[in-house]
Amino acid sequence: MARSRLPLIAGNWKMNGLRADALALARGVADGVRLAGWKDREVLICPPATLLIAVAEAVAGSGVLCGGQNCHVGASGAHTGEISAEMLSDSGASHVIVGHSERRADCGETDAIVRAKAEAAWRAGLLPIVCIGETLAEREAGRTLGVLEAQLKGSVPTGATSAKLVVAYEPVWAIGTGKTPTVAEVAAAHAHIREVLTGLASDAGALRVLYGGSVKGSNAGELLSADNVDGALVGGASLKADEFLAIAKAA
Ligand code: PGA
């Protein structure tokens, strides 16, 4: 892992957490991060939007960063039920996940929409984490690298730099399944992603590319050791403070 790329361990809580448990989890993560005193990695948690303000307050001063899981492309207006990047920022977020495969699948988010959401994040001063990843059928058809390339070219806005973008590679078949690619498969995907990014970002060598999909304490060390992996996007294992902190420790 190049020293210029500060590892980022991001927890995506998805649609999990009611106030009491979520605040206990946030405090657990904050306590662990405060104790560890890491200067060589970043730790981010992305709670449901309903909990963002409370979680941001609970972790204030610990070094733990907060992010949203999605945003609308607009800043405000008649979009019932939607949340803008500006609202996330106003609630204490510094980051926002865009284009997660669950949103691509459940909400029909296309590369063009993901790209517009990343631009909305920039407009609001947030750092977007753009997610890409192949399905099992695409992998079995030998199309993984082509799919990743097309998603990147469609989802990364013009003007991307390492300071303005994080990419997360999440094979759809590895999310929430307990299955992971081999370290060699992860390294091959990440090498290709970095190569494609060379044409999309002025300083692609410094841009962080996270791996996501069934990362847990026991496999984080191995997965994060793959070339060009600059951290993890963690779903299920981010819902337990000890497990999430073990992943952060492995970074
Ligand atoms: P998982 O989810 O860690 O539960 O596989 C990862 C993600 O969807 O970001």
Side-chain angles (χ1 to χ4, degrees):
M1 197 179 292
R3 287 194 93 72
S4 61
R5 301 196 299 261
L6 192 62
L8 172 64
I9 304 301
N12 172 12
W13 292 6
K14 308 193 181 184
M15 197 174 70
N16 294 294
L18 299 178
R19 208 147 31 142
D21 286 349
L23 289 179
L25 172 58
R27 287 193 193 102
V29 173
D31 287 347
V33 168
R34 213 182 267 113
L35 202 65
W38 290 309
K39 298 275 178 278
D40 59 352
R41 71 205 71 189
E42 290 181 333
V43 177
L44 167 72
I45 52 180
C46 301
T50 49
L51 293 167
L52 195 47
I53 293 175
V55 165
E57 281 173 5
V59 304
S62 68
V64 174
L65 303 164
C66 292
Q69 300 176 9
N70 170 49
C71 66
H72 190 265
V73 299
S76 63
H79 302 288
T80 302
E82 292 289 346
I83 294 170
S84 70
E86 282 78 358
M87 290 169 173
L88 294 175
S89 171
D90 188 50
S91 302
S94 52
H95 294 58
V96 61
I97 299 166
V98 293
H100 189 281
S101 65
E102 286 153 14
R103 293 205 57 89
R104 289 178 185 261
D106 295 355
C107 308
E109 289 191 8
T110 60
D111 289 333
I113 293 172
V114 175
R115 179 189 167 112
K117 291 188 173 195
E119 286 171 339
W122 288 355
R123 184 189 64 224
L126 298 180
L127 186 57
I129 301 174
V130 171
C131 301
I132 58 170
E134 83 286 0
T135 63
L136 186 58
E138 288 163 343
R139 174 162 285 269
E140 286 175 344
R143 296 181 48 219
T144 298
L145 301 186
V147 166
L148 299 180
E149 182 163 347
Q151 287 180 332
L152 278 175
K153 288 181 173 166
S155 308
V156 172
T158 306
T161 66
S162 63
K164 290 170 72 179
L165 182 76
V166 172
V167 169
Y169 167 54
E170 299 203 304
V172 177
W173 53 272
I175 293 176
T177 59
K179 294 187 191 131
T180 59
T182 63
V183 172
E185 286 168 337
V186 171
H190 280 243
H192 189 66
I193 288 166
R194 193 163 307 282
E195 196 183 310
V196 175
L197 284 172
T198 306
L200 301 173
S202 50
D203 60 346
L207 206 153
R208 289 176 292 178
V209 183
L210 314 182
Y211 167 78
S214 296
V215 178
K216 50 190 181 183
S218 57
N219 64 15
E222 197 186 7
L223 290 164
L224 290 170
S225 73
D227 274 355
N228 285 302
V229 174
D230 309 309
L233 181 54
V234 185
S238 72
L239 296 173
K240 291 197 181 110
D242 288 353
E243 188 76 12
F244 186 58
L245 288 165
I247 297 167
K249 194 172 170 201

